[in-house]
């Protein structure tokens, strides 16, 4: 049995005051759903104050990105140790980072290794564009992202990651993948490639999330699927009621 995870990616939203307000409310509203691993990923400026609010709460905290180097002349970046001071998780390789900040499978791979080295759980994001999807290249793209993004990981390390399959055409568009399609891709190309690289037992133990326009109205469909172990949620993670409803749907 894989424990479901619902992680909220707040992206570049919420000042410190707003973030503290939202997380204080979530701390209460998410409390009943202890069968679900609940994670919030606010902007970097709010990690410290939000970590204080979540102190002794089971809700996990994640960063949205980090650098792989330990320290040095990397203006604007956060090191693994800086993230680890407050967080247990880090989102890596989000499609917005790949698209707007030139992240590649190779840099994402360095980040995944750095996260594991310091004891952070990487939420490793993969997904195809609309063009690639329409050209029938989804499997090819995911195979490449998994192969190079997770290159060099031991089976033991691979067992610690969380994968988020996020078709880019579904992110923030309101055009979600159907639960059947998402489950077919996750059970096929995603878990299939993990099996090839790390063996059946490890691949079966890795949590794989769906991400892309998950809302209270469609969440329950995904969580009934055999290979979908939760969701990475963007827009709906910014509203207490919506995020809580999604967590509730995952709790069954
Ligand atoms: C995301 O940013 O990871 C995401 C899935 O966004 P949204 O839920 O808004 O589509």
């Amino acid at each position: 049995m894989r424990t479901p995870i619902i992680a909220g990616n707040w992206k570049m939203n919420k000042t410190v005051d707003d973030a503290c307000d939202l997380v204080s409310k979530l701390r209460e509203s998410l409390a009943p759903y202890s069968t679900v691993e609940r994670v919030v990923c606010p902007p970097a400026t709010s990690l410290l104050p939000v970590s204080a609010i979540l102190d002794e709460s089971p809700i996990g905290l994640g960063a949205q990105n980090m650098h792989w180097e330990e320290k040095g002349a990397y203006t604007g970046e956060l090191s693994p140790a800086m993230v680890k001071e407050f967080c247990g998780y880090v989102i890596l390789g989000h499609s917005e980072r790949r698209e707007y900040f030139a992240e590649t499978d190779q840099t994402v791979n360095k980040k995944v290794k750095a996260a594991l080295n310091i004891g952070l759980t990487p939420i490793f994001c993969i997904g195809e564009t609309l063009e690639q999807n329409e050209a029938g290249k989804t499997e090819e793209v995911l195979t490449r992202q998994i192969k190079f993004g997770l290159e060099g990981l031991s089976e033991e390390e691979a067992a610690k990651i969380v994968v988020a399959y996020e078709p880019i055409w579904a992110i923030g568009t309101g055009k979600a993948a159907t639960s059947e399609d998402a489950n077919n891709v996750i059970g096929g190309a995603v878990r299939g490639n993990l099996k090839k690289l790390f063996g059946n037992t490890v691949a079966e133990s890795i949590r794989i999330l769906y991400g892309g326009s998950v809302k209270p109205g469609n969440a329950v469909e995904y969580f009934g699927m055999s290979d979908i172990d939760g969701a990475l949620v963007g827009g709906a993670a910014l509203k207490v009621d919506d995020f809580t409803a999604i967590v509730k749907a995952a709790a069954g």
Side-chain angles (χ1 to χ4, degrees), residues 183-205:
N183 194 55
N184 285 340
V185 173
I186 288 175
V190 182
R191 211 177 292 284
N193 273 297
L194 294 173
K195 280 182 187 167
K196 276 189 217 147
L197 291 173
F198 306 112
N200 277 11
T201 312
V202 169
E204 288 295 345
S205 75

Side-chain angles (χ1 to χ4, degrees), residues 9 11 94 96 166 170-173 211-215 232-236:
N9 173 14
K11 311 194 187 192
H94 192 280
E96 289 152 15
E166 301 204 303
I171 297 180
T173 57
S213 297
V214 175
K215 308 281 177 218
L232 181 55
V233 182

Side-chain angles (χ1 to χ4, degrees), residues 76-94:
E77 293 289 323
L78 297 180
S79 74
M82 291 169 188
V83 172
K84 185 73 168 69
E85 278 187 291
F86 309 113
C87 299
Y89 304 79
V90 59
I91 298 172
L92 296 174
H94 192 280

Side-chain angles (χ1 to χ4, degrees), residues 211-228:
S213 297
V214 175
K215 308 281 177 218
N218 62 14
V220 77
E221 296 166 29
Y222 295 105
F223 308 143
M225 291 287 154
S226 58
D227 274 290
I228 302 180

